[in-house]
Amino acid sequence: KDYILLKMNPKMIHGAIGVSTLQGEDFYVITATYPITFINPAIVGQAIHKIANQGDWLEQKLNKKKDLR
């Protein structure tokens, strides 16, 4: 099941997939990293949109169902 994460991680140019603990529970997280000189509101918006799309795709692969939220 987690094999998909290992395959996806090297394809991410500006970030990574990892595990973060929140209130004692582990969650998969997707991060995006950019040089500070590159950041502006449009780039931040694009990064959020891309992370959301990647997260939805990843959730479908891991759960074999579509997020209905």
Side-chain angles (χ1 to χ4, degrees):
K1 179 175 171 176
D2 297 335
Y3 180 72
I4 190 77
L5 301 174
L6 296 173
K7 289 190 69 136
M8 189 176 172
N9 218 13
K11 296 177 183 177
M12 297 182 67
I13 298 168
H14 298 291
I17 298 174
V19 175
S20 184
T21 304
L22 178 64
Q23 298 179 346
E25 191 173 349
D26 288 340
F27 292 90
Y28 292 115
V29 294
I30 299 174
T31 59
T33 55
Y34 295 92
I36 192 71
T37 55
F38 189 70
I39 295 298
N40 62 51
I43 296 296
V44 172
Q46 290 171 6
I48 291 169
H49 184 72
K50 184 169 185 165
I51 287 172
N53 286 337
Q54 289 173 328
D56 287 346
W57 178 86
L58 182 58
E59 186 176 29
Q60 288 177 13
K61 292 293 184 184
L62 293 174
N63 294 325
K64 300 293 185 198
K65 62 182 178 182
K66 191 170 185 153
D67 184 4
L68 300 177
R69 290 183 273 154

